[in-house]
Amino acid sequence: MATPARTEPDFSTIPDLPEDVFTAPLKRPEHVGDDWLEPAQTRYDSEDDAVWNDLFARQMEVLLGRAASAFLAGLEKLDLGRGGVPDFGDLSEELGKLTGWSVVPVPMLIPDHVFFWHLANRRFPAGNFIRTRETFDYIQEPDVFHDVFGHVPMLTDPVYADYMQEYGKAGWKAMHHNRLKALGALYWYTVEFGLLREEEGLRAYGAGILSGPTEAVFAVEAQSPNRIMLNVDRVMRTDYVISDLQPTYFVIESFEDLYRQTVERDFDRLYRNLSPAFTYANSAVIDVDNVVHRGTQEYLLRGGRGSGAKPV
């Protein structure tokens, strides 16, 4: 992000991935190219549109008073409640006028280096499928509802949109240092599960919170989780939970604050001093933390989702 130790790629084409860089192996479907883009967006049927509409209605019942004002404004600007799965072409045209971003269809989770490349070019890759009624409440791999409803409205905010582009550029530095886990933690605790301090109180801007009804309430109001002001160095040393509610959420003062803490940080120096493994547990509170709320961790201590514990 700042003071690169090597010449950064220009991102006009996908930069080569060195052999000594460790990334998760993913098998590319035969019908997509090196950019992993689908030839076209899925033609969703009436049941798919009904699933979208029902998910949208459910989320709107819980997000007022809990979602960041920038997110709610983005929903309105893009008219995501117009009915049915949004057309990516229309979304891209509207988003392009606002912040220069577009939405592109991908078949599944895509390799890190390809994902970073798209972000660096202000393209947001969105899953080209939607969950079924059987997976209505929880789906492990992000679908079009999570990606478009959860992520895309935030891209209407100019500062946040710039942060996402810089994150994509920063991905290449993390890969060269083999510190993708650390950069992934930053994405997790900001883009997916970030909280923002607004005048009326804490509000969610992370897509993982905004696209899930239980987490939307838990993250903002529950007594169990910690809520700690964002410290980038600390966050990048912190483990996270993939398939359950988060024991800890990190809070920003503003998107300008988020941009300043990341884009102006010397990440080469940070990566050289980071351990390959995480230093802090996802429930930890440490001496450098500026704690907004120290959680009881009752939900975690009772066993979380697998035990049937109440998210209190």
Side-chain angles (χ1 to χ4, degrees):
M1 285 184 176
T3 319
R6 66 190 82 235
T7 301
E8 292 187 3
D10 64 9
F11 299 106
S12 59
T13 59
I14 303 176
D16 293 331
L17 189 63
E19 293 183 0
D20 60 350
V21 170
F22 310 141
T23 61
L26 294 174
K27 182 175 176 56
R28 177 167 57 87
E30 293 183 359
H31 71 282
V32 299
D34 291 339
D35 60 8
W36 284 66
L37 294 184
E38 293 272 24
Q41 185 183 4
T42 293
R43 298 176 69 89
Y44 293 103
D45 61 26
S46 58
E47 173 58 16
D48 295 330
D49 286 335
V51 168
W52 171 280
N53 293 340
D54 290 346
L55 286 166
F56 188 96
R58 182 175 70 172
Q59 285 309 107
M60 294 311 297
E61 288 182 0
V62 300
L63 289 183
L64 293 180
R66 298 183 177 107
S69 56
F71 173 81
L72 296 174
L75 281 180
E76 187 173 344
K77 290 174 184 176
L78 298 175
D79 193 18
L80 289 187
R82 69 188 74 174
V85 180
D87 179 84
F88 287 6
D90 293 341
L91 268 185
S92 296
E93 183 176 354
E94 295 158 355
L95 197 55
K97 294 175 183 177
L98 294 168
T99 58
W101 276 77
S102 63
V103 183
V104 292
V106 293
M108 52 189 282
L109 287 174
I110 63 177
D112 292 313
H113 70 292
V114 180
F115 180 68
F116 294 143
W117 177 66
H118 284 304
L119 294 187
N121 284 283
R122 298 177 90 89
R123 293 187 295 265
F124 190 81
N128 205 19
F129 62 97
I130 194 165
R131 69 194 71 182
T132 64
R133 293 288 176 183
E134 291 71 28
T135 56
F136 191 83
D137 291 328
Y138 176 74
I139 184 170
Q140 187 168 6
E141 187 171 345
D143 67 342
V144 68
F145 184 78
H146 170 85
D147 284 339
V148 172
F149 179 89
H151 284 285
V152 172
M154 289 302 309
L155 293 173
T156 64
D157 182 272
V159 178
Y160 184 86
D162 287 347
Y163 168 72
M164 289 292 287
Q165 182 180 30
E166 292 298 328
Y167 184 93
K169 294 177 180 179
W172 289 85
K173 188 173 296 182
M175 285 193 299
H176 281 288
H177 286 276
N178 281 313
R179 291 298 180 266
L180 281 178
K181 285 174 66 70
L183 190 67
L186 178 62
Y187 189 91
W188 193 261
Y189 283 119
T190 60
V191 177
E192 291 291 353
F193 292 97
L195 296 178
L196 168 69
R197 200 204 300 263
E198 294 192 346
E199 187 174 338
E200 299 80 7
L202 295 183
R203 297 292 185 264
Y205 71 91
I209 302 173
L210 296 167
S211 59
T214 302
E215 193 121 25
V217 178
F218 183 82
V220 176
E221 299 174 6
Q223 293 300 304
S224 288
N226 302 316
R227 299 179 186 92
I228 300 169
M229 298 305 296
L230 180 71
N231 176 313
V232 169
D233 291 34
R234 189 265 207 251
V235 161
M236 294 178 75
R237 291 175 166 88
T238 305
D239 200 0
Y240 52 88
V241 176
I242 294 177
S243 57
D244 208 337
L245 304 175
Q246 302 302 305
T248 297
Y249 299 91
F250 289 91
V251 183
I252 60 172
E253 292 284 1
S254 65
F255 297 123
E256 289 82 3
D257 170 47
L258 173 63
Y259 190 89
R260 185 169 52 252
Q261 285 201 53
T262 52
V263 178
E264 296 179 5
R265 179 67 169 88
D266 183 349
F267 275 73
D268 281 303
R269 182 177 179 182
L270 174 60
Y271 289 141
R272 286 194 295 268
N273 291 285
L274 277 179
S275 166
F278 289 124
T279 304
Y280 306 121
N282 50 47
S283 60
V285 175
I286 62 175
D287 57 358
V288 300
D289 287 339
N290 181 356
V291 179
V292 178
H293 168 79
R294 181 157 189 161
T296 64
Q297 296 300 325
E298 177 180 345
Y299 176 75
L300 175 67
L301 293 172
R302 290 187 182 278
R305 177 178 289 144
S307 69
K310 291 182 179 180
V312 295

